Amino acid sequence: MIVQIIGAFIAVLSIALALGVPRKFLVYSAIVAAISWCVYLISLESGLDLVMSVFIATLVIAFISHTFARRFKAPVTVFLIPGILPLVPGVGTYRIVYYLIQEDGAKASFNFTQTLQVAGMIAIGIFIMDTLFKFFQKPLSKDGSCKEAGTILPQGSDNVESSAGYSPEEEKRMEQELRARAEALRKKMKEREKDGLG
């Protein structure tokens, strides 16, 4: 089991590098994949069938990916896509084609059904965890109240951060810089119009 987990880590690390995952997130993406494969193997050994094992592993992957995304302020897909790769039913797809070539309709049909079930469980697991995170992490309302907690946070507090990860002071500073640049651009345009008319 340990050899397989290490193999999943190394394989996904290489694939993540090829996919263009930022270098600072490469190891974390590979860790998600190794954990997913570990959970999958443990689920199989505990007596669960292939489809349910994939479903449980997908839930774990999606949870860790969302947690890492919030911890490192990165998109969820940076961790989720590499992490889900070991569970993608590539072998099932190969077997479908193989048994179709061998003209064994029964085995091809079985592998087709199982591959669809695995793919469906991956999609459902991601959807469930994504919905849970969106439900429990609602944005602050205009009065500074946190909807899920029912608490009021002071306006302009350093602890209040926007969904982009910027504090209110940083947002004000960026807004002022943008306004100054817009004003400078307007002046330049007016000067060019005058030069053109003159």
Side-chain angles (χ1 to χ4, degrees), residues 9-105:
F9 178 88
I10 294 168
V12 172
L13 188 67
S14 305
I15 294 168
L17 190 61
L19 287 173
V21 173
R23 290 186 180 274
K24 60 182 176 180
F25 301 133
L26 281 174
V27 174
Y28 297 107
S29 300
I31 287 170
V32 174
I35 292 170
S36 76
W37 194 246
C38 178
V39 171
Y40 170 74
L41 292 176
I42 291 169
S43 300
L44 281 178
E45 286 184 2
S46 65
L48 293 174
D49 66 343
L50 175 71
V51 176
M52 282 308 298
S53 298
V54 168
F55 178 67
I56 291 168
T58 303
L59 287 176
V60 173
I61 293 165
F63 177 79
I64 296 170
S65 297
H66 277 278
T67 306
F68 278 3
R70 280 150 181 76
R71 170 69 180 81
F72 300 113
K73 296 190 187 320
V76 178
T77 51
V78 168
F79 308 104
L80 186 60
I81 292 174
I84 212 81
L85 284 175
L87 301 178
V88 173
V91 175
T93 308
Y94 167 79
R95 285 176 181 162
I96 292 167
V97 177
Y98 175 78
Y99 287 122
L100 283 173
I101 292 169
Q102 296 292 320
E103 296 181 358
D104 192 338

Side-chain angles (χ1 to χ4, degrees), residues 24-197:
K24 60 182 176 180
F25 301 133
L26 281 174
V27 174
Y28 297 107
S29 300
I31 287 170
V32 174
I35 292 170
S36 76
W37 194 246
C38 178
V39 171
Y40 170 74
L41 292 176
I42 291 169
S43 300
L44 281 178
E45 286 184 2
S46 65
L48 293 174
D49 66 343
L50 175 71
V51 176
M52 282 308 298
S53 298
V54 168
F55 178 67
I56 291 168
T58 303
L59 287 176
V60 173
I61 293 165
F63 177 79
I64 296 170
S65 297
H66 277 278
T67 306
F68 278 3
R70 280 150 181 76
R71 170 69 180 81
F72 300 113
K73 296 190 187 320
V76 178
T77 51
V78 168
F79 308 104
L80 186 60
I81 292 174
I84 212 81
L85 284 175
L87 301 178
V88 173
V91 175
T93 308
Y94 167 79
R95 285 176 181 162
I96 292 167
V97 177
Y98 175 78
Y99 287 122
L100 283 173
I101 292 169
Q102 296 292 320
E103 296 181 358
D104 192 338
K107 288 183 179 178
S109 177
F110 170 77
N111 281 285
F112 178 74
T113 305
Q114 190 178 64
T115 301
L116 280 182
Q117 288 175 340
V118 169
M121 283 301 173
I122 289 172
I124 291 168
I126 292 170
F127 175 75
I128 288 171
M129 199 55 66
D130 189 51
T131 304
L132 286 174
F133 268 85
K134 282 181 180 175
F135 179 77
F136 287 111
Q137 187 171 358
K138 294 179 181 175
L140 295 175
S141 62
K142 288 182 180 178
D143 63 345
S145 61
C146 189
K147 291 179 183 177
E148 70 272 17
T151 57
I152 305 294
L153 296 172
Q155 288 287 350
S157 169
D158 290 339
N159 295 327
V160 181
E161 289 195 357
S162 67
S163 58
Y166 298 109
S167 67
E169 288 78 12
E170 288 174 318
E171 285 183 353
K172 277 184 182 178
R173 182 178 51 78
M174 286 190 291
E175 188 179 346
Q176 287 171 354
E177 286 177 4
L178 284 172
R179 284 182 181 172
R181 287 180 185 176
E183 190 61 35
L185 191 61
R186 279 195 205 112
K187 284 180 182 177
K188 281 185 181 179
M189 288 176 71
K190 283 181 182 178
E191 287 173 5
R192 285 183 183 176
E193 283 175 8
K194 285 178 183 178
D195 291 341
L197 291 171

